[in-house]
Amino acid sequence: MRKTFIFTIFTLLAAGAALVSCDNSDKRGGRTDTETSGEITIVADESLKPVVQELIDQFEFKWPKAKINLKDTTENRGFELIRDMQTCLLFTTRPLKESEIAYLKTKKQLPSVFPVAYDGLALIINPNNTDSCISVKNIKDILKGKVTKWNEIYPASKLGNFDVVFDNKESATLHYVVDSILDGQPIDNPNITAAKTSADVIEYVHNTPNAIGIIGSNWLNDKGDSTNLTFINKIRVMKVTVNDEATASNSWKPYQVYLLDGRYPFARTVYAICVDPQRKLPWSFANYTTSPTGQLIVKRAGLLPYRGDITIKKVNIKKN
């Protein structure tokens, strides 16, 4: 991720990525969609549903003859659908592997993979839990089962065991935790709860005092706050630090500015994978997500846009 600084000037760059996708024959294959009309179904990892749906809503508002149906699924299933050419467009949090690209080429398909945004992987707790600062080391120890009780990290806590909850075992969220936080090692905590969806994770944490949920931050954005500085009040978002000991002053929440400058350690890239040589509606929508308009929508959704010239301006406040 670029290490430029953020915030008051936001000049978006024009999108330059062209997407290529789905059926490589010269015929339309029964498709009737155009760049701005027709009906298609696209796929997204469920953890990305809010931001992708917002992009769809705005695209359809601009082009009322277009109808884009969103199918949310697990990351594993999403890659199966794009591999088998059952969809022309997939939103997920990893690019295609070399083996996946090679397989598509054997089918005479040339996929295009490019980044759209950065999403923070958030840790959420019950709103009544005030132990809201945690270190990366603590998180690893919890996930590896080396630490199982809240009072092993927070001595005054009376919450008992950590109850760690994910959306599901095949999600992009869980894959990020294993690959990027645990360096490929498996999760080995006996107190793991598998919810079905990200919404279920939020509800579970809201109702479970000792729970700690791991979820994409785009699910937590308070749409009533245009500054993107507040999260939904059903849960409390934890502050995370790379230091061994977490304090209020050295820990950070997954705000856009901290995703950009690297202070928040768990940032993942959102990718669009498109397979559409006809360059009709899937191709058009994928390009829209990286256009200046699409990137502004990403910003309003609480994610960090991938394409943009973003600058911080320091303000000195004088006390009387």
Side-chain angles (χ1 to χ4, degrees):
M1 189 187 301
R2 292 171 300 163
K3 303 298 182 186
T4 46
F5 291 108
I6 201 170
F7 231 130
T8 46
I9 300 173
F10 191 92
T11 306
L12 290 168
L13 302 178
L19 299 178
V20 185
S21 359
C22 216
D23 169 27
N24 202 30
S25 64
D26 292 330
K27 298 179 181 179
R28 291 297 313 272
R31 287 174 57 182
T32 59
D33 56 297
T34 71
E35 290 87 348
T36 58
S37 68
E39 183 173 358
I40 60 169
T41 297
I42 68 171
V43 177
D45 183 86
E46 190 272 339
S47 68
L48 304 174
K49 181 178 179 179
V51 65
V52 177
Q53 187 61 59
E54 182 65 23
L55 285 160
I56 290 172
D57 292 345
Q58 296 304 318
F59 183 89
E60 291 178 341
F61 180 80
K62 182 176 182 180
W63 306 107
K65 292 184 179 181
K67 174 63 176 174
I68 301 175
N69 302 307
L70 176 61
K71 176 182 176 63
D72 61 86
T73 186
T74 65
E75 183 180 75
N76 287 356
R77 181 56 180 156
F79 278 104
E80 289 175 359
L81 291 171
I82 201 80
R83 180 198 66 195
D84 297 337
M85 292 171 283
Q86 295 181 39
T87 184
C88 293
L89 183 58
L90 167 66
F91 287 86
T92 188
T93 59
R94 73 162 174 85
L96 287 169
K97 299 175 182 177
E98 290 297 326
S99 60
E100 292 165 333
I101 295 172
Y103 176 83
L104 286 168
K105 286 182 177 179
T106 67
K107 303 296 182 181
K108 298 183 179 180
Q109 306 300 320
L110 181 60
S112 184
V113 182
F114 63 96
V116 175
Y118 297 110
D119 181 33
L121 202 67
L123 280 78
I124 60 175
I125 55 177
N126 186 274
N128 296 319
N129 187 352
T130 58
D131 293 321
S132 58
C133 295
I134 195 166
S135 71
V136 172
K137 180 180 181 300
N138 292 153
I139 295 166
K140 289 182 177 181
D141 286 344
I142 293 168
L143 294 171
K144 291 177 181 178
K146 293 181 178 179
V147 170
T148 59
K149 298 181 182 297
W150 279 88
N151 62 13
E152 292 179 72
I153 297 175
Y154 310 99
S157 177
K158 302 185 187 317
L159 291 178
N161 291 330
F162 283 103
D163 188 351
V164 183
V165 57
F166 289 90
D167 43 9
N168 65 78
K169 64 181 181 180
E170 295 186 343
S171 72
T173 301
L174 185 58
H175 290 168
Y176 178 92
V177 168
V178 172
D179 294 342
S180 300
I181 299 179
L182 296 180
D183 301 319
Q185 298 178 29
I187 295 174
D188 192 23
N189 188 313
N191 302 312
I192 298 288
T193 299
K196 186 176 181 181
T197 67
S198 298
D200 292 336
V201 173
I202 294 170
E203 196 64 28
Y204 186 89
V205 171
H206 175 72
N207 294 317
T208 309
N210 64 323
I212 179 168
I214 302 179
I215 190 174
S217 64
N218 74 111
W219 274 90
L220 304 175
N221 189 44
D222 182 354
K223 293 185 178 181
D225 179 12
S226 61
T227 67
N228 291 320
L229 294 177
T230 57
F231 297 106
I232 57 174
N233 58 17
K234 291 190 71 171
I235 48 81
R236 186 188 299 269
V237 178
M238 299 191 82
K239 299 172 72 175
V240 181
T241 183
V242 296
N243 296 329
D244 286 344
E245 184 176 350
T247 66
S249 61
N250 71 5
S251 307
W252 315 96
K253 293 184 179 182
Y255 294 135
Q256 291 161 321
V257 60
Y258 302 141
L259 295 178
L260 181 67
D261 67 18
R263 277 183 280 183
Y264 190 79
F266 303 142
R268 58 184 186 170
T269 308
V270 177
Y271 294 94
I273 299 174
C274 193
V275 189
D276 184 13
Q278 296 174 11
R279 296 193 173 188
K280 299 302 180 181
L281 192 51
W283 181 88
S284 178
F285 177 66
N287 271 284
Y288 176 80
T289 68
T290 63
S291 71
T293 299
Q295 292 288 278
L296 282 171
I297 294 166
V298 166
K299 176 178 177 285
R300 288 201 300 267
L303 277 69
L304 178 65
Y306 183 81
R307 297 180 180 277
D309 220 0
I310 307 170
T311 307
I312 275 187
K313 212 181 246 190
K314 293 184 178 180
V315 178
N316 293 320
I317 301 175
K318 294 182 179 180
K319 294 182 180 180
N320 294 329

